[in-house]
Amino acid sequence: MSSAPLHSDLSDSTSYEKIREDLIRPLHKNTFGNQVWIRFLIILILLGAFAYGHQLIKGLGVTAMRDYSAWGLYISNFVFWVAVSLIGSLISSILKLLNQNWSTPITRISELIAVGAITMAAASIVIDMGRPDRVLNIPLHGRLQSPIIWDFFIVNTYLVISLILLYLPLIPDIAILRDRMTNAPKWQKKIYELLSIGWQGTQSQWKLLKRAILVMIILILPVAFSIHTVTSWLFAVTPRAGWHSTIFGPYFVSGAFVAGASAVVIAMYVFRKRQNLQAYLTDKHFNKMNLLLILTMLLYAYFNINEYLVAGYTWQRLDGKHLQELFLGHEAPLFWLTQILGLVLPIILLLFRPMRKPLPSMIIAIFVLIGAWIKRFLIVIPVQFNPQFPIQNVPEHFTHYIPTYTEIVVTLATLATAILIITLLVRIFPVVPIWEVAHEKGFHKIFKAEK
Amino acid sequence: MKNKGKDRTESRRDFLKNTAILSAGAMAVSGLVSSCGDQPAESGEKVALLTASGELVEVDPSQIKKVRKEKLGELQERGREGLAGHHWVMVIDLSKCKNARKCMAACQGAHELRPYQHHINVLQMQDTPSTAPYYMPKPCYHCDNPPCTKVCPVNATFKRQDGIVLIDNERCIGCRFCVAACPYSARMFQWFEPDYTEEQKNRVYDVELNVPQKRGTITKCLFSADRLRKGQLPYCVSACPNGVYWFGDKLEDAVTNGTSKETRKFSELIKENAGYTYFEDLGTKPQVYYLPPKNRTFDYEPVDKFLKEEQPSTHHESSTH
Ligand code: SF4
Ligand code: SF4
């Protein structure tokens, strides 16, 4: 284990009991604010369900999508959710394999985000289908040549692995909760009882668990890279200027880490505030996480330059038209705002240490995350209005795309669902892994002694 | 371009004769299928039906379903198989197109499309500011290397042995990946429920006609596969008053003009007139060829490039746009 104590705010005399109680305490109280928050999310989801019902009855015509923008907000959302979900693998897997132990207290946050996001990615795809009633045709008549089939299988695989990777490190914590949360409601105790699957912390159990976790963090890596690469191929395999690009895979993957890392910074801030975890999610963690964010953003900027400069230099027929639209045309304000406020400025600001403190970095992360989302929109939509032949003999509004209320409400509902999933999970499970933090502080023996 | 009588002496194989045998076969098949498949299934013990011979009979509703299913399966199967020994090809003579749009009307009628849905779309083109504008009918190119069928996750759109790219809208899941992949904007999606009566909606779906149109699925030019099966020229080809379209079989190297019914060697027609296909660099191998818009003696009159409204006035649904 690491020798230098990273949790500087935890003095060396901090006992294991204190850590345990600090991390369990938030689970005891169902605050008024929390209840209101959950109800608010549920209302959003119900509104979204209503809007989706409207779409089911009337057809996809209630969206602003038409024949020259056959993919719209829903597909951008899909790409965005896949992107955000990738953070689970970056933090739990890559950082762990690199022995970056500072990330221990935020692994669970990143895994929670991964599970929430990948679930909504899957939902977004079904929401976008013209015939959701035929979703079973995918396994029934699936054609291996189609990238959608690859995506279908890889999204499901990633969902399963993410759930496992969230669950495995939770087992010892759940066992602690099972033994400590004696005054919890019955159903909650039942959940602890069931999910701790008889964990007693014996030597052999520990060995098994650690091995299983290691297998999963290695396994998730290729799956995580595949999922976003394949998602980029949904665009790259079509002969369309602006999509048909050989660097789309790494371009998307690097962009995904930006989106996910900024989501983690925001979540860290929220949990630190709401659960009083200042001693566990410290300035140091924010500092490191933001350094990581800078790194991913620099990488993403590099791919951005590649993507736009090469096409812009040759300015071929359709590439040129597409870039003209993006750089100087209709989409220009959105494009430049996104690139500057969502990428360039955050990189510059985060280079200054005070900006990597919790509050400022959280505000910056919000800009980065919104920028990441708009960027997906700008990748998906404008390209479609730039086909080989001119758009004619259709109503004029077919030549642009502004999402309808139905689409916006459904989109907000998926966001609310992802947040609700996370909110509900942290209602009953500790958001900072108890045993992993304790291990890192050197409390191995206590665990073996316990039971 | 050429005067009409010139090629009369050439091997004048009538296009219609080529597929006469097929047409007989098709009639035999449709004769076997009971006509009651077109009736809507109602709840209740028995359903009254009018048979082909004019008799009124009562049958069990479940029976109807079975026949419907069989008929649908048969249409799907033969639709997927295609007409053996053919490779259909179209030649569009841009020097003749006067923007009559009879092809668009015939096509929209046959396939029951909305005014803004075009299996074939006559575009107003101008290649460079210094060259003359021209009209350009654009159907699906039935590419020999079609990007659209490659990406379909459920094999709902496919290329068959006679070269035609079709869609099975009983299977399509409405992902619109094919729309994204087609570089020629040939594909449309049914964003709304088609404006059908209950009876029209319940007709057995014909893959080769793509009728009835279905909400949440794809529609596009089918080279009038249903007409070819009957040995007739496509709807658009027959409707054109200006001799723009030639249609035929690449394997036979023969194409017939839809207006003059004149038949010519496909390869000669292309060679003599410097025929070409669009965006060959994409590698899609289109099967629709164009003859350049040269020596036109009529005036070019530009028309509005956009339609006024999306919905036909009779349509009761409206978008929440
Ligand atoms: S023109 Fe488009 S829809 Fe038609 S075959 Fe080619 S790619 Fe497919
Ligand atoms: S929209 Fe239908 S035909 Fe097109 S790719 Fe999807 S399933 Fe296939």
Side-chain angles (χ1 to χ4, degrees):
Chain A
M1 286 288 127
S2 75
S3 46
L6 272 156
H7 317 287
S8 56
D9 296 24
L10 285 178
S11 65
D12 285 344
S13 59
T14 314
S15 68
Y16 162 66
E17 280 74 22
K18 176 160 169 24
I19 296 178
R20 187 184 64 200
E21 291 316 310
D22 276 355
L23 296 178
I24 291 181
R25 197 172 307 119
L27 305 185
H28 282 300
K29 42 183 185 200
N30 191 5
T31 59
F32 178 69
N34 202 49
Q35 290 179 19
V36 170
W37 176 240
I38 289 178
R39 281 185 176 76
F40 171 68
L41 291 176
I42 290 176
I43 288 171
L44 275 185
I45 294 166
L46 287 178
L47 283 175
F50 182 75
Y52 181 62
H54 175 62
Q55 176 183 314
L56 270 186
I57 292 165
K58 293 271 170 167
L60 278 175
V62 301
T63 70
M65 292 187 276
R66 288 298 179 266
D67 294 323
Y68 294 90
S69 54
W71 283 346
L73 195 57
Y74 296 149
I75 292 288
S76 338
N77 292 344
F78 166 70
V79 180
F80 175 75
W81 287 121
V82 172
V84 171
S85 79
L86 233 60
I87 194 63
S89 69
L90 174 66
I91 290 181
S92 327
S93 169
I94 300 179
L95 292 187
K96 230 175 206 166
L97 290 173
L98 292 175
N99 266 330
Q100 294 289 314
N101 292 322
W102 63 269
S103 65
T104 303
I106 56 172
T107 47
R108 188 154 300 147
I109 291 180
S110 70
E111 283 152 11
L112 284 167
I113 290 176
V115 167
I118 196 68
T119 315
M120 285 308 104
S124 296
I125 276 288
V126 177
I127 289 169
D128 186 68
M129 280 171 68
R131 297 298 300 245
D133 52 317
R134 296 182 182 165
V135 71
L136 279 182
N137 277 6
I138 298 175
L140 279 179
H141 298 289
R143 256 174 97 251
L144 225 51
Q145 296 96 313
S146 170
I148 287 194
I149 293 295
W150 311 342
D151 233 350
F152 177 78
F153 285 109
I154 207 90
V155 165
N156 285 317
T157 313
Y158 190 69
L159 177 59
V160 171
I161 297 187
S162 295
L163 278 173
I164 296 175
L165 204 52
L166 174 67
Y167 174 61
L168 284 180
L170 254 176
I171 296 173
D173 280 3
I174 297 175
I176 296 171
L177 296 174
R178 173 193 65 196
D179 301 338
R180 308 295 310 174
M181 297 276 289
T182 41
N183 54 355
K186 236 193 181 141
W187 60 269
Q188 201 170 337
K189 282 199 282 192
K190 191 100 200 150
I191 289 181
Y192 294 146
E193 184 69 43
L194 276 175
L195 289 183
S196 59
I197 51 169
W199 178 266
Q200 299 297 336
T202 63
Q203 200 107 34
S204 61
Q205 281 182 332
W206 275 112
K207 217 170 130 190
L208 206 63
L209 182 74
K210 293 218 161 147
R211 184 159 296 169
I213 292 176
L214 185 65
V215 169
M216 291 325 280
I217 64 177
I218 292 173
L219 208 62
I220 200 170
L221 261 190
V223 179
F225 275 85
S226 310
I227 182 180
H228 214 40
T229 307
V230 168
T231 300
S232 82
W233 288 347
L234 293 186
F235 307 97
V237 300
T238 66
R240 288 210 184 228
W243 280 356
H244 185 57
S245 158
T246 50
I247 65 157
F248 249 40
Y251 175 46
F252 271 44
V253 171
S254 64
F257 287 147
V258 174
S262 57
V264 167
V265 172
I266 297 168
M268 278 166 71
Y269 182 84
V270 171
F271 290 129
R272 174 180 142 114
K273 260 261 137 61
R274 291 208 14 208
Q275 301 202 356
N276 285 319
L277 298 174
Q278 284 80 356
Y280 298 88
L281 300 169
T282 66
D283 283 11
K284 273 197 178 165
H285 291 106
F286 277 87
N287 185 35
K288 290 250 182 188
M289 198 55 219
N290 281 304
L291 287 176
L292 188 68
L293 183 57
I294 295 180
L295 192 72
T296 60
M297 284 198 290
L298 283 174
L299 195 65
Y300 189 47
Y302 167 75
F303 279 112
N304 265 285
I305 291 167
N306 267 278
E307 178 63 21
Y308 293 119
L309 189 127
V310 173
Y313 197 92
T314 49
W315 208 261
Q316 291 180 23
R317 186 172 54 99
L318 285 183
D319 279 331
K321 254 174 83 187
H322 169 59
L323 293 181
Q324 172 91 24
E325 188 68 8
L326 219 49
F327 292 169
L328 303 164
H330 255 87
E331 322 287 346
L334 205 56
F335 176 79
W336 290 114
L337 272 180
T338 311
Q339 293 294 63
I340 292 169
L341 293 186
L343 194 61
V344 179
L345 222 56
I347 295 178
I348 296 172
L349 287 178
L350 286 177
L351 288 177
F352 299 98
R353 207 184 166 104
M355 288 293 157
R356 301 201 289 270
K357 293 255 185 240
L359 183 63
S361 70
M362 187 272 289
I363 294 170
I364 293 173
I366 288 179
F367 276 88
V368 175
L369 192 64
I370 294 176
W373 180 74
I374 298 176
K375 188 68 191 300
R376 304 297 175 292
F377 189 85
L378 288 172
I379 290 175
V380 173
I381 283 112
V383 164
Q384 301 175 79
F385 290 121
N386 188 22
Q388 299 280 356
F389 290 116
I391 302 173
Q392 287 179 15
N393 304 323
V394 292
E396 194 156 11
H397 74 80
F398 276 33
T399 59
H400 46 257
Y401 171 81
I402 300 162
T404 59
Y405 288 123
T406 308
E407 286 169 283
I408 292 168
V409 173
V410 170
T411 299
L412 286 178
T414 55
L415 178 65
T417 313
I419 296 176
L420 184 68
I421 291 174
I422 298 170
T423 310
L424 291 180
L425 284 173
V426 300
R427 261 297 291 137
I428 50 175
F429 301 123
V431 72
V432 171
I434 303 173
W435 69 270
E436 283 174 288
V437 169
H439 264 203
E440 213 167 285
K441 291 285 292 172
F443 294 115
H444 293 90
K445 293 205 186 70
I446 293 172
F447 279 94
K448 274 166 210 150
E450 239 192 25
K451 288 232 158 172
Chain B
M1 202 189 68
K2 306 268 181 305
N3 52 31
K4 278 178 188 169
K6 192 190 160 197
D7 300 310
R8 286 264 159 92
T9 48
E10 293 214 14
S11 64
R12 193 158 185 281
R13 278 169 295 180
D14 192 350
F15 175 83
L16 302 182
K17 276 179 198 156
N18 289 336
T19 39
I21 297 166
L22 269 166
S23 124
M27 263 141 70
V29 170
S30 52
L32 286 174
V33 184
S34 164
S35 63
C36 64
D38 288 340
Q39 302 293 327
E42 282 157 28
S43 57
E45 289 282 281
K46 294 280 177 197
V47 178
L49 290 176
L50 199 62
T51 65
S53 51
E55 278 172 280
L56 199 65
V57 293
E58 285 194 331
V59 292
D60 196 84
S62 61
Q63 210 61 29
I64 297 177
K65 275 221 179 89
K66 203 169 148 231
V67 175
R68 280 181 64 94
K69 224 177 172 178
E70 270 170 16
K71 185 171 176 190
L72 174 70
E74 214 165 304
L75 291 175
Q76 279 174 317
E77 201 173 315
R78 75 173 199 195
R80 244 170 222 276
E81 219 163 72
L83 306 169
H86 295 280
H87 192 98
W88 306 113
V89 66
M90 183 186 265
V91 181
I92 298 176
D93 188 347
L94 295 178
S95 68
K96 295 252 168 70
C97 181
K98 294 180 183 171
N99 201 22
R101 303 205 166 182
K102 296 278 187 261
C103 52
M104 286 166 74
C107 173
Q108 288 188 327
H111 299 292
E112 304 175 356
L113 301 172
R114 288 169 194 262
Y116 55 86
Q117 295 175 317
H118 311 286
H119 285 187
I120 187 155
N121 197 0
V122 180
L123 302 176
Q124 302 174 70
M125 300 286 282
Q126 185 166 21
D127 295 341
T128 65
S130 58
T131 51
Y134 56 95
Y135 307 108
M136 179 200 156
K138 178 182 69 68
C140 162
Y141 288 164
H142 296 273
C143 308
D144 267 358
N145 182 20
C148 56
T149 62
K150 276 191 223 172
V151 297
C152 179
V154 293
N155 205 2
T157 184
F158 51 88
K159 186 166 180 77
R160 35 182 237 181
Q161 58 177 326
D162 54 3
I164 301 184
V165 173
L166 286 189
I167 317 137
D168 181 351
N169 277 334
E170 287 285 339
R171 183 183 287 186
C172 170
I173 60 169
C175 65
R176 313 187 294 294
F177 201 176
C178 55
V179 182
C182 169
Y184 305 113
S185 312
R187 291 176 167 259
M188 281 135 274
F189 186 72
Q190 293 291 359
W191 301 97
F192 292 100
E193 187 69 53
D195 215 5
Y196 283 143
T197 61
E198 201 54 27
E199 201 173 331
Q200 287 174 318
K201 197 178 160 182
N202 282 329
R203 285 170 295 172
V204 175
Y205 170 71
D206 182 359
V207 180
E208 291 182 340
L209 186 61
N210 202 28
V211 162
Q213 301 281 345
K214 288 171 189 292
R215 183 183 79 185
T217 63
I218 296 293
T219 189
K220 73 161 190 71
C221 158
L222 317 155
F223 259 6
S224 302
D226 61 318
R227 298 258 292 190
L228 297 178
R229 187 172 287 282
K230 288 185 266 183
Q232 297 167 343
L233 288 168
Y235 298 103
C236 50
V237 174
S238 322
C240 177
N242 295 321
V244 173
Y245 296 100
W246 298 80
F247 194 91
D249 189 341
K250 234 183 182 176
L251 300 182
E252 286 193 321
D253 199 18
V255 283
T256 302
N257 189 289
T259 314
S260 68
K261 299 293 184 293
E262 169 192 356
T263 298
R264 288 204 56 192
K265 270 192 154 175
F266 164 74
S267 52
E268 270 181 27
L269 190 65
I270 296 298
K271 204 169 150 204
E272 279 169 21
N273 299 287
Y276 60 94
T277 59
Y278 269 96
F279 309 123
E280 277 169 34
D281 52 319
L282 294 174
T284 47
K285 302 198 182 120
Q287 294 309 300
V288 173
Y289 289 74
Y290 285 88
L291 308 183
K294 60 181 183 188
N295 304 335
R296 281 166 302 147
T297 51
F298 49 87
D299 285 334
Y300 178 89
E301 285 161 29
V303 292
D304 242 354
K305 284 185 178 154
F306 293 108
L307 296 183
K308 286 287 168 301
E309 54 175 326
E310 174 174 345
Q311 307 284 338
S313 48
T314 55
H315 203 263
H316 40 268
E317 282 165 3
S318 68
S319 96
T320 56
H321 197 68

